[in-house]
Amino acid sequence: GEDVEQSLFLSVREGDSSVINCTYTDSSSTYLYWYKQEPGAGLQLLTYIFSNMDMKQDQRLTVLLNKKDKHLSLRIADTQTGDSAIYFCAWGYGGATNKLIFGTGTLLAVQP
Amino acid sequence: GAVVSQHPSWVICKSGTSVKIECRSLDFQATTMFWYRQFPKQSLMLMATSNEGSKATYEQGVEKDKFLINHASLTLSTLTVTSAHPEDSSFYICSAREAGSILWLTDTQYFGPGTRLTVL
């Protein structure tokens, strides 16, 4: 199957760390992505990780990949109110195959 | 960064009419564009893959005669919802992959802001 599941909602206080989780079923994926969707705007690619990596850090963002458990997480350090949005994980095969499978999305609400 | 626009941003139409949605890559060439549909509080569902100069590839369960896709140039793809009905009301999102980019290998897609379609 091609299921990708996320928790629906996460609420954190400004300045705290946020951790958004994602589980997937297809272990043949090559790339895994995190996208951010704000109202009225297109999905913004935040970061991606190759399936042969365990961790990737990009400024305030840390992506952890546990291939054994098929679990992907996104940690946002020092969460700001501007981080409030819906976050989608997605995976794909890369190259000519093109197809991206999206998770169900997690609404992150940052309380001031 | 790469920008993808969609037009219109929202449209309301009567049942039975056809609606055309445009997707443009503004500062890059896109050999491949994608059309997604997003229902409220749900994820994006891929409808079809549009390749410049060839027929679109539709996902299982998506009616190709209902959702006509044309990718006539490297910067423009259109989705036409024919004989729209209330159940076609949704948020339609397009994305594009940059031709010749190293990011093509990583399947990086740039997304448009979406078009809200409401069929009365």
Side-chain angles (χ1 to χ4, degrees):
Chain A
E2 299 179 331
D3 293 331
V4 186
E5 295 188 2
Q6 299 178 236
S7 52
L8 288 178
F9 182 74
L10 175 65
S11 179
V12 299
R13 290 191 177 275
E14 190 173 19
D16 288 349
S17 293
S18 308
V19 180
I20 302 171
N21 295 301
C22 171
T23 57
Y24 58 96
T25 56
D26 194 317
S27 58
S28 60
S29 56
T30 304
Y31 302 96
L32 297 109
Y33 309 82
W34 283 102
Y35 282 88
K36 177 183 181 182
Q37 184 181 37
E38 295 178 279
L43 272 76
Q44 174 192 355
L45 176 65
L46 292 177
T47 187
Y48 65 89
I49 188 170
F50 297 109
S51 60
N52 61 357
M53 296 170 63
D54 297 322
M55 186 184 84
K56 180 180 180 181
Q57 185 156 4
D58 185 0
Q59 299 182 334
R60 292 192 296 125
L61 305 179
T62 302
V63 179
L64 293 177
L65 175 61
N66 182 328
K67 291 182 287 295
K68 175 177 175 291
D69 296 335
K70 298 179 185 176
H71 183 263
L72 180 73
S73 68
L74 174 69
R75 179 178 181 271
I76 305 174
D78 188 24
T79 312
Q80 303 297 307
T81 54
D83 294 325
S84 295
I86 300 175
Y87 290 80
F88 291 95
C89 64
W91 63 261
Y93 297 111
T97 309
N98 295 343
K99 186 175 177 179
L100 284 183
I101 306 298
F102 281 85
T104 49
T106 298
L107 174 60
L108 174 63
V110 182
Q111 311 297 327
Chain B
V3 178
V4 175
S5 69
Q6 283 185 239
H7 177 79
S9 54
W10 60 270
V11 57
I12 302 173
C13 69
K14 292 183 178 181
S15 185
T17 61
S18 294
V19 175
K20 179 184 284 188
I21 303 170
E22 293 185 349
C23 176
R24 292 181 186 273
S25 56
L26 297 186
D27 50 1
F28 67 99
Q29 293 185 328
T31 51
T32 305
M33 290 184 172
F34 304 86
W35 287 97
Y36 295 85
R37 186 172 179 177
Q38 185 181 26
F39 291 101
K41 299 181 181 179
Q42 293 190 28
S43 186
L44 282 75
M45 300 299 297
L46 179 64
M47 299 175 64
T49 302
S50 169
N51 293 296
E52 187 266 337
S54 64
K55 291 183 178 180
T57 302
Y58 290 81
E59 294 298 302
Q60 190 174 9
V62 177
E63 300 177 58
K64 61 180 181 181
D65 295 329
K66 172 78 172 173
F67 300 98
L68 300 178
I69 292 172
N70 183 277
H71 193 158
S73 76
L74 286 172
T75 59
L76 173 64
S77 176
T78 61
L79 168 68
T80 301
V81 183
T82 61
S83 186
H85 288 93
E87 58 265 29
D88 298 323
S89 298
S90 190
F91 194 53
Y92 292 88
I93 303 173
C94 74
S95 72
R97 292 178 69 186
E98 185 174 2
S101 165
I102 188 68
L103 293 178
W104 182 89
L105 294 173
T106 64
D107 210 7
T108 299
Q109 298 181 22
Y110 300 102
F111 285 80
T115 297
R116 173 75 61 193
L117 170 63
T118 301
V119 185
L120 303 177

